[in-house]
């Protein structure tokens, strides 16, 4: 790929390293790969940046690896700037620390587990909270040693159920994970904010468009947490924001504003009605509007969903969830609310095993009489009146009052969030958008330092339990995100900070003088500090132009027909602008454009 | 760890990055770790370069990671210089390619195997011949694309039976593996020699003392192969060399020079003797010298060792191996000769199951009569006469002639190699030494390209099967090897090319002026292009000097008592030499020393 060529003594005896398309391990593809759906995946494969080895497992070819390393360097640079120290922990880990914190089980199928030749259980690290807590415990013993921020840029493993879009959601991927350890919560907050600002600088340098949203902390444990979501229609994370107030949150993190409770005194008694075959909300609403005096909408009904849940290591237990009938249950919100417990919908066998559950006609009193835990949407406050199941086939109850006829065991964020819903801050309404998680910052708290008793001697002579933060950036995912946000219909477009090469010199003229001129220009660019890819192949100019657009270097310099007249073309891959300049003016032009 | 400090406008507004011991994530240890036996392991742990997580699985702390990355950079630089292209393949791999080549089984327990959530078999890559062959097949289709050399610097996994000496023999380790693909054998030889020379340059830059020895190719397959062994008394690889001729070989690769065959005509007939209880060679020789006319040594007896072997996927088969009685069987040589078959010595149950084997009295005729494959040391040529077992309890045969009374099924390199043995080139005798394998280069041949039918269209219009080479360097192991070869009794000593920092500035004076002077000197060194570690702790000078010696930066600058008189000490960690210079002469002194 590279050739070293000593240039003549009139220069500095510098060693020139030019990458040549004629030798580069690269074959661009005309057709999209059959398994690719999203643009970044198609283009990264077609342009020869990555290759699939197994589901969610990819190889990085020369150009892809260069982008990945440059993204790593930006991340490293900004982490070092906040005083974080780089180390590297193994990916192959013993079971024990993850057993101590319960994550050996909590991770479920997403954890790659294996045994060594002696039968010892091991895992491939999905994230390293445990190991960093143990490491700091082993090295540090005094309050004088704190605070500390440690990070690594490392290959991680998660056995995703649905690996997706090439390197966007892989099972083997590169992540920057960092961990802060502080003496107290103020220290944690300071480390958290340092990370928040470093992440903003990183994503700004990478030209990533993103939002910061309030998040749930999932299986990580901990309290405050925010996600950095890259704006993208192909994102799997839905977030909502309130244009009026600037509030933004992951859908899982939206807290439904509860209305004021109403007085129950004077409300009419609940009445059971024969409703015939009305197993759905729609059929029930039709019946009500045909039968009752007042008009009824789905929002007046209470839909009861039956699930079973299991905490790690525990038994399955039934759970009833009541939401207003005009809203679907959002399983991701429901799961996030119950984490780390697993949760699944009841199946036929479960109903058969629990004959008191009258499918389609389940009501809160029946559930609670049977001892089933029953949680409701926060809108179901005391004094609200509902049409819901009467626990008998073909019967519903009208006028069932929360706080009088039934008392839920608590509330749960399980109902879908919709555009137009009231913002939790009360300042306006919510609109939704799609995003790709590129960063996540957590104020973990004491979950892991408690698990391993990570104490140092405090200034007062007593043990001081450390408080931990955890911060991640999906480094390999960022390569896909940049491709996704920056590409156009001709191919990839790389921001200067991460492009595999700064300049792509295309020889589009068979004339010997032009070829020699292009080689000299490439060498001059190299000496001037630009990384250069030169297309010295025998292919036609048309093929070379198409490849240059597909590969996406920010600047393409074409040495073509105009060379005889003393001009070459400088093409800006982002704006499409073409400037004709003299060969010896190219460096000045590029430097001016770089600013 | 790092602090950025803008220095005043009289300089360049440069951003200074100095690493401070007061913030560095590092605690040096006074005592050797309990599990460490070899000096490099003890020192790398004591100096806080690495920490153990599980057997053969280590974390790299800040200083260790810096050395590792610098070793990687030297390797990368020299690989790029021979035109090799860096890519990165996954560590988590599907079973199928390794099944095709048989290595899924051949690797035995050394392979980390696991299943994903769907039950698909996967493995952690120990080396990537299969994947690179498949990759090249996928990308390249014409002879015009060749030759190509691809490499990666990657974390690899082998479930070693005896992980050892910290990072010296880990189960997770960093390796540079490269693969060449050529149209013909001449091309392969050229790629092989390019690697050989690149490796020599790499090890020279790292100041590693090493020898290149002829090697067997083990489970890799292929023909020509050489190992680079670092000279070290703690090495597990024994090699031999012939001082007269320069011949050097791994013991497994030594080919015993076979003597000329002798005429069998006229030799007396073999005679069976009652030898009483003579189950060992020593007792048999005693009997012979007491009974026979001519004096006898152990070298006149033929020792028959019984084993069973199994090719991957096959059944166990008996194997007899005959060696002169004065030599032990070297199981590593025997195993290397039979690879990829497994081999174990017979146990009591095996003898019980095969009653024709009269333990202690086994002879070639009995084995061959029972259909047992029988291989002999190359010294057992036709016409040689032996005392050996007569296949009956208490009986031996005297004057048994090879080529007359028995005909072996072939020869095998199983006997130990001893100092003083004839060199295979006939130019002198062998002496043995210990080494640590740091590199291995293989002319693989067609093993993998045949397995995956890696063809391109040849210049003649017909398919051209590619020929492959495979080349490895143990990158993380090299960190241990350098520590092992360079340390002294005070601690580590890093060659300039890989030291975590170029200069270690020790503030050994509490005076404010000295402290300020040290800080300024550190900043000046940074601006001058040196990487600087400054010991700004409040510890005593003695503690700081001890740590500086333990950590092993090549140059230590002490700002101590002399500062008031305008001098600081420049200490060379290798020679121990101390030079007193003015603070503003330090940079000139170091530049002069660097040459």
């Amino acid at each position: 790929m590279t050739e070293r060529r000593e240039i003549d003594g009139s220069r500095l005896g510098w060693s020139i390293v030019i990458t040549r398309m004629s030798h580069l391990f690269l074959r661009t593809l005309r057709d999209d790969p059959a398994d690719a759906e999203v643009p970044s995946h198609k283009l990264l494969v077609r342009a020869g940046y990555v290759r699939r080895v197994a589901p969610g497992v990819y190889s990085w070819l020369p150009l892809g690896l260069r982008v990945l390393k440059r993204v790593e360097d930006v991340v490293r640079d900004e982490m070092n700037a906040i005083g974080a120290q780089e180390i590297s922990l193994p990916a192959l880990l013993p079971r024990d620390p993850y057993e101590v914190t319960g994550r050996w089980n909590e991770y479920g199928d997403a954890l790659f587990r294996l045994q060594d030749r002696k039968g010892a259980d091991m895992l491939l690290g999905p994230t390293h909270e445990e190991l960093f807590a143990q490491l700091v415990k082993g090295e540090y013993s005094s309050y004088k040693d704190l605070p500390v921020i440690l990070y690594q840029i490392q290959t991680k493993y998660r056995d995703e159920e649905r690996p997706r879009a090439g390197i966007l959601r892989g099972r083997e991927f590169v992540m920057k994970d960092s961990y802060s350890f502080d003496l107290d919560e103020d220290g944690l907050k300071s480390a958290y904010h340092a990370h928040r600002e470093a992440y903003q600088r990183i994503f700004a340098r990478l030209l990533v468009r993103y939002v910061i949203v309030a998040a749930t902390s999932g299986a990580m444990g901990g309290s405050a947490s925010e996600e950095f979501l890259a704006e993208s229609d192909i994102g799997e994370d839905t977030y909502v924001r309130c244009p009026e107030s600037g509030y933004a949150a992951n859908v899982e993190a939206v807290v439904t504003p509860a209305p004021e409770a109403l007085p129950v005194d004077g409300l009419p008694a609940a009445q059971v009605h024969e409703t015939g075959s009305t197993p759905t909300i729609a059929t029930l609403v039709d019946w009500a509007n045909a039968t009752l005096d007042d008009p009824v909408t789905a929002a007046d009904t209470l839909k009861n969903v039956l699930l079973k849940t299991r905490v790690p290591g525990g038994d399955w237990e039934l759970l009833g969830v009541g939401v207003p009938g005009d809203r679907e249950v959002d399983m991701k919100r429901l799961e996030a609310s119950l984490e780390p417990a697993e949760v699944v919908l009841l199946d036929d066998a479960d109903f058969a095993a629990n004959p008191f559950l009258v499918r389609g006609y389940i009501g809160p009193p029946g559930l609670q009489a049977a001892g089933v835990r029953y949680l409701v949407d926060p809108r179901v406050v005391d004094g609200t009146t509902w049409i819901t199941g009467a626990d008998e086939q073909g019967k519903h109850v009208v006028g069932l009052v929360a706080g009088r006829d039934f008392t839920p065991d608590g509330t749960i964020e399980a109902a879908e969030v919709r555009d137009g819903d009231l913002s939790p801050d009360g300042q306006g309404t919510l609109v939704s958008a799609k995003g790709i998680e590129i960063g996540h910052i957590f104020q973990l708290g004491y979950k892991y330092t408690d698990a391993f008793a990570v104490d140092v001697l405090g200034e007062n002579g007593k043990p001081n339990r450390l408080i931990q933060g955890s911060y991640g950036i999906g480094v390999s995912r960022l390569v896909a995100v940049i491709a996704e946000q920056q590409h156009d219909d001709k191919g990839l477009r790389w921001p200067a900070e991460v492009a595999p090469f700064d300049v792509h010199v295309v020889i589009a003229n068979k004339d010997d003088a032009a070829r020699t001129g292009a080689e000299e220009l490439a060498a001059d660019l190299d000496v001037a500090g630009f990384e250069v890819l030169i297309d010295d192949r025998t292919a036609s100019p048309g093929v070379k132009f198409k490849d240059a657009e597909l590969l996406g270097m920010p600047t393409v310099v074409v040495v073509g027909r105009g060379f005889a007249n003393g001009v070459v073309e400088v093409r800006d891959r982002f704006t499409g602008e073409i400037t004709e300049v003299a060969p010896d003016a190219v460096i000045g032009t590029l430097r001016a454009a770089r600013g």
Side-chain angles (χ1 to χ4, degrees), chain A residues 21 24-31 33 40-52 58-67 492 494 500 547 550-553:
Chain A
M21 288 280 279
L24 184 61
F25 185 65
L26 169 74
R27 287 296 169 270
T28 57
L29 309 177
R30 246 167 306 178
D31 300 319
S40 61
H41 185 191
K42 291 176 186 171
L43 289 171
L44 287 168
V45 172
R46 281 186 49 211
Y49 280 64
V50 300
R51 288 289 179 263
R52 181 182 179 281
Y58 280 75
S59 296
W60 297 83
L61 301 196
L63 296 180
L65 185 61
R66 289 178 82 104
V67 178
L492 298 164
W494 296 108
D547 273 350
L550 177 61
L551 298 183
M553 304 317 140

Side-chain angles (χ1 to χ4, degrees), chain A residues 457-470:
Chain A
L457 193 68
E459 196 166 1
N460 60 2
K462 292 179 185 164
N464 185 327
R465 178 68 36 99
L466 299 187
I467 185 165
Q468 184 178 2
S470 158

Side-chain angles (χ1 to χ4, degrees), chain A residues 538-559:
Chain A
T538 53
S540 74
V543 166
K544 291 182 176 184
F545 294 151
K546 270 206 167 356
D547 273 350
E549 284 168 338
L550 177 61
L551 298 183
M553 304 317 140
T555 301
V556 179
V557 174
V558 178
V559 180

Side-chain angles (χ1 to χ4, degrees), chain A residues 154-328:
Chain A
Q154 196 215 28
T155 303
K156 292 204 150 36
Y157 296 87
R158 288 184 200 164
D159 198 356
E160 296 283 352
E161 192 170 354
R162 287 176 297 275
R164 179 171 176 257
I167 54 171
L168 193 67
R169 181 191 285 278
R171 298 196 293 167
E172 173 175 313
F173 56 97
V174 179
M175 186 168 150
K176 185 286 298 177
D177 49 329
S178 49
Y179 305 88
S180 65
F181 294 87
D182 284 275
L183 294 169
D184 55 33
E185 206 164 314
D186 281 351
L188 170 60
K189 281 185 176 151
S190 154
Y192 183 89
H193 286 291
H195 274 90
R196 197 175 196 272
E197 286 170 12
Y199 280 27
Q200 289 174 299
R201 284 191 294 269
I202 289 166
F203 299 135
R205 285 174 66 175
L206 301 178
L207 304 189
V208 172
R209 297 185 299 277
Y210 69 98
V211 292
I212 302 177
V213 302
T216 56
S217 49
M220 305 287 298
S223 50
S225 147
E226 288 169 295
E227 273 179 25
F228 292 72
L229 297 181
E231 296 170 16
S232 171
D233 291 342
I234 62 145
E236 286 191 314
D237 284 280
T238 303
Y239 67 96
V240 291
R241 58 200 174 81
C242 172
E244 291 86 353
S245 68
Y247 168 88
N250 193 310
V251 165
E252 283 92 312
V254 172
V255 177
T256 306
E260 293 271 310
L262 303 170
V264 299
D265 294 346
L267 292 173
Q271 285 191 316
V272 173
H273 290 259
E274 290 271 1
T275 54
S277 177
T278 50
T280 65
I281 296 296
T283 52
L284 179 61
V285 170
D286 287 347
W287 168 86
N289 282 320
T291 312
L292 304 178
D293 295 337
D294 295 324
V296 162
T297 71
D300 299 312
T301 68
L302 183 62
K303 175 160 63 179
N304 297 300
V305 176
L306 267 290
L307 309 124
K308 52 184 183 180
T309 70
R310 179 169 67 174
V311 293
D315 294 327
W316 287 107
E317 285 182 8
L318 290 179
L319 173 69
V321 170
V323 301
D326 62 330
R327 287 180 189 262
E328 297 301 321

Side-chain angles (χ1 to χ4, degrees), chain A residues 100-118:
Chain A
V100 168
T101 60
R103 294 211 296 179
W104 173 262
N105 290 314
E106 277 170 33
Y107 257 110
D109 285 345
L111 195 65
F112 281 109
R113 298 176 183 83
L114 68 161
Q115 291 195 323
D116 72 6
R117 67 192 302 149
K118 291 183 176 159

Side-chain angles (χ1 to χ4, degrees), chain A residues 479-493:
Chain A
V479 176
V481 165
I482 296 166
E484 191 66 37
Q485 287 192 341
Q486 301 293 350
H487 79 276
D488 65 10
D489 55 359
K490 292 171 186 160
L492 298 164
R493 298 194 298 189

